[in-house]
């Protein structure tokens, strides 16, 4: 799936990158909702760290209700939407086109209203996803964002890492599927938890929390570890469930200290990591393959969270393909 998405979008990604360079784009505005907005949070770290491009996330109600869109000078307006049909996201891109901004979209449907207003369309090519909760499309969105950053930078080492992504993702699924299936019953009666990370994987904390809410109806609240220390740490008591995402890289020592604090307070830690130092704090240990660079590890880190949502929903007796009150395509304005 990831290999197909990356291969099929190689030429469109190169074309968009060429236009970004030609126009000397100054910043990126992400237009998205739900899971796609969480992918946009990953883009904030990615484009800022490697491409020198500040990233902001749009405020669609300024377009649809307040009718006061901001000026978009020298921006790339990049929309992320599985269906390409959400009215508010389409209006952000349509207004950007009217203002003369460079527009692009990551979507499954190249004939959608969103694609119509996009100068460049990166098609997800993730195959049919019939379940309501987005999983394949989210993971492919992350991969295309990473590819865009790599090609724009032109770094050979990062390109080599990207080429290993499909194999690493397959190894992740193989490594964690059995563990999660066996552990799901332990959390059958869990009704609240927090999901915590920081840095490149912060958007993954947002996404895993969303999947737990959608599929298992657990009140799952996402946090940056830094924000969690500013007050919410007080909710931790013995047995309180914490999903902790911490991978090797710049923040690892900070996350080790943070995990130790959680353990001292008796938290039940579900650890998603490639680091033995982090995994040792986990009551449930979801080990990622070692060797992925920090900027690419979020694509592997989300997979255990997606599988946890699936297996926990089944353990609770819920249909993971049809969460209550939700539809596959959500149209907002």
């Amino acid at each position: 799936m990831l290999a197909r998405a990356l291969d099929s979008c190689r030429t469109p990604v190169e074309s968009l990158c060429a236009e970004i360079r030609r126009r000397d784009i100054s910043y990126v505005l992400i237009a998205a909702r739900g899971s796609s907005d969480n992918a946009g949070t990953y883009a904030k770290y990615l484009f800022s760290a490697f491409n020198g491009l500040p990233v902001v996330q749009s405020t669609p109600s300024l377009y649809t209700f307040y009718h006061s869109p901001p000026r978009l000078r020298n921006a790339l307006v990049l929309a992320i939407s599985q269906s390409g049909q959400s009215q508010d996201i389409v209006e952000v891109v349509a207004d950007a086109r009217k203002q003369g901004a460079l527009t692009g979209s990551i979507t499954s449907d190249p004939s959608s209203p969103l694609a119509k207003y996009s100068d460049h369309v990166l098609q997800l090519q993730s195959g049919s996803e019939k379940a309501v909760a987005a999983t394949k499309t989210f993971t492919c969105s992350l991969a295309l964002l990473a590819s865009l950053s790599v090609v724009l930078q032109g770094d050979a080492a990062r390109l080599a890492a990207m080429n290993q992504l499909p194999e690493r993702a397959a190894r992740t699924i193989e490594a964690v599927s059995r563990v999660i299936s066996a552990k799901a019953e332990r959390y059958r009666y869990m009704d609240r938890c927090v999901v915590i990370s920081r840095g490149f994987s912060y958007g993954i904390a947002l996404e895993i929390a969303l999947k737990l809410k959608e599929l298992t109806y657990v009140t799952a609240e996402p946090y940056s570890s830094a924000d969690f220390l500013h007050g919410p740490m007080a909710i931790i008591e013995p047995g309180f469930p914490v999903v902790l995402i911490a991978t090797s890289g710049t923040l690892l020592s900070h996350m080790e200290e943070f995990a130790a604090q959680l353990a001292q307070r008796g938290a039940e830690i579900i650890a998603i990591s490639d680091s033995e130092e982090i995994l040792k704090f986990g009551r449930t240990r979801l080990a990622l393959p070692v060797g992925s660079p920090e900027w690419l590890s979020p694509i592997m880190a989300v997979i255990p969270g997606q599988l946890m949502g699936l297996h926990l929903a089944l353990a609770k007796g819920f249909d993971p393909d049809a969460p209550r009150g939700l539809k596959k395509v959500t149209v907002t304005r």
Side-chain angles (χ1 to χ4, degrees):
M1 175 190 72
L2 288 174
R4 181 172 62 245
L6 292 170
D7 288 344
S8 67
C9 283
R10 183 170 287 114
T11 298
V13 164
E14 290 173 349
S15 177
L16 177 53
C17 287
E19 191 64 12
I20 292 171
R21 295 189 197 100
R22 189 186 73 81
R23 295 199 188 193
D24 193 21
I25 291 297
S26 299
Y27 71 99
V28 181
L29 178 78
I30 300 286
R33 290 288 192 193
S35 288
S36 296
D37 205 31
N38 296 337
T41 298
Y42 172 59
K44 280 185 177 182
Y45 290 87
L46 198 63
F47 294 129
S48 296
F50 291 103
N51 307 106
L53 290 171
V55 178
V56 295
Q57 286 167 286
S58 67
T59 310
S61 61
L62 290 176
Y63 298 79
T64 55
F65 286 99
Y66 293 100
H67 307 293
S68 301
R71 292 190 299 273
L72 301 172
R73 293 176 180 168
N74 210 33
L76 164 63
V77 176
L78 182 62
I80 309 171
S81 172
Q82 173 189 296
S83 69
Q85 296 182 41
S86 191
Q87 181 182 344
D88 48 359
I89 304 306
V90 172
E91 289 202 24
V92 172
V93 178
D95 183 80
R97 169 76 74 85
K98 189 187 303 181
Q99 292 190 41
L102 176 62
T103 60
S105 61
I106 296 174
T107 183
S108 295
D109 186 358
S111 63
S112 65
L114 178 61
K116 172 186 173 183
Y117 290 105
S118 300
D119 300 317
H120 299 263
V121 178
L122 308 182
Q123 189 176 354
L124 287 168
Q125 296 284 6
S126 51
S128 176
E129 184 170 64
K130 297 180 180 179
V132 168
T135 51
K136 294 190 297 182
T137 50
F138 177 80
T139 310
C140 284
S141 294
L142 297 186
L144 291 182
L145 289 167
S147 178
L148 187 59
S149 172
V150 169
V151 173
L152 185 59
Q153 186 188 23
D155 184 279
R158 292 184 72 212
L159 180 59
M162 279 296 305
N163 291 336
Q164 296 176 27
L165 175 60
E167 185 267 338
R168 289 185 180 277
R171 284 169 53 200
T172 301
I173 294 171
E174 182 179 358
V176 302
S177 293
R178 188 174 300 176
V179 176
I180 295 171
S181 177
K183 288 281 190 176
E185 187 66 26
R186 177 177 179 83
Y187 301 103
R188 181 177 180 182
Y189 298 104
M190 179 177 75
D191 60 2
R192 59 176 184 156
C193 71
V194 292
V195 187
I196 301 174
S197 190
R198 195 175 178 186
F200 283 96
S201 288
Y202 175 54
I204 302 311
L206 300 177
E207 178 62 13
I208 291 176
L210 176 59
K211 286 295 161 282
L212 291 175
K213 291 171 186 173
E214 287 179 314
L215 298 176
T216 72
Y217 317 142
V218 170
T219 303
E221 293 302 319
Y223 290 95
S224 154
S225 55
D227 285 334
F228 198 75
L229 290 169
H230 283 266
M233 180 64 88
I235 69 175
I236 298 297
E237 58 187 0
F240 192 100
V242 177
V243 180
L244 184 67
I245 308 122
T247 58
S248 298
T250 302
L251 286 167
L252 185 59
S253 60
H254 159 76
M255 296 303 287
E256 288 173 2
E257 294 174 4
F258 180 74
Q261 292 182 59
L262 292 173
Q264 288 169 4
R265 298 177 67 90
E268 166 106 2
I269 298 175
I270 302 165
I272 299 174
S273 183
D274 60 349
S275 164
E276 286 297 330
E277 293 302 310
I278 293 293
L279 291 170
K280 73 180 183 182
F281 290 107
R283 179 63 177 80
T284 294
R285 302 171 183 179
L286 304 175
L288 303 175
V290 299
S292 296
E294 184 179 8
W295 60 272
L296 203 54
S297 62
I299 303 175
M300 273 64 73
V302 75
I303 293 170
Q306 293 169 337
L307 290 171
M308 184 178 176
L310 166 65
H311 288 288
L312 185 55
L314 293 173
K316 287 174 172 281
F318 303 140
D319 181 355
D321 290 336
R324 64 192 184 203
L326 300 179
K327 296 182 291 185
K328 182 60 183 170
V329 176
T330 303
V331 179
T332 53
R333 63 177 295 268

